[in-house]
Amino acid sequence: MKTNKVKSFAKINLALHVTGKLTSLHKIESVVKFIELHDTIFIKKINSDKHKISFNGNFSKNIKKDNTVNKLFEILEKKKILNNKKFQIKIKKNIPHKTGHGGGSMNAAKILNFLIK
């Protein structure tokens, strides 16, 4: 089956204003700019009973199982949106995690956007 390649660009906050607090997260208003730094995501439909999600690259160390991409697939499975289709996701991490550049959330957003199309 065909492997699709998607770029997931980092962002920087040009302006950030905290407007309140939820239970464990802050409500924010932000102006962002996407930059050339990006993770590369390889997406392939597979014949398997579960999704295969892996990370490699300079900033793949210490990415936990409880990450945004795994959470995305948990939600899609729970809501039965993928109709029993399974995917292999390989993410080459060039964006450092936990730096505020949107690496994990942008990865999940790009994968979701790809699946919608």
Side-chain angles (χ1 to χ4, degrees):
M1 294 184 191
K2 181 182 175 189
T3 299
N4 297 279
K5 181 176 161 182
V6 177
K7 290 182 180 179
S8 176
F9 289 91
K11 54 102 177 151
I12 56 171
N13 290 303
L14 300 175
L16 179 68
H17 177 52
V18 178
T19 61
K21 186 168 182 170
L22 302 171
T23 51
S24 62
L25 302 172
H26 290 88
K27 293 168 137 182
I28 64 167
E29 293 176 346
S30 180
V31 177
V32 300
K33 169 79 172 129
F34 293 100
I35 59 176
E36 285 301 312
L37 178 64
H38 65 274
D39 291 341
T40 305
I41 305 171
F42 300 92
I43 304 171
K44 181 179 180 179
K45 187 176 166 190
I46 57 172
N47 292 320
S48 178
D49 59 339
K50 63 181 183 175
H51 302 288
K52 297 180 181 177
I53 300 168
S54 63
F55 299 87
N56 62 40
N58 295 335
F59 298 101
S60 62
K61 187 178 176 186
N62 298 325
I63 295 177
K64 298 176 182 171
K65 282 284 186 195
D66 187 25
N67 61 66
T68 311
V69 174
N70 278 312
K71 288 179 184 177
L72 168 66
F73 278 94
E74 287 172 13
I75 293 166
L76 295 173
E77 286 296 322
K78 184 177 179 181
K79 296 189 177 280
K80 301 181 192 279
I81 292 174
L82 297 176
N83 299 319
N84 294 318
K85 295 176 188 162
K86 304 299 181 203
F87 293 89
Q88 178 182 58
I89 308 293
K90 293 183 179 180
I91 302 175
K92 182 177 180 200
K93 294 297 294 174
N94 298 310
I95 303 170
H97 55 92
K98 296 188 177 185
T99 60
H101 290 103
S105 58
M106 286 305 298
N107 291 165
K110 280 295 194 174
I111 292 168
L112 183 58
N113 188 37
F114 174 85
L115 294 173
I116 289 168
K117 289 181 180 178

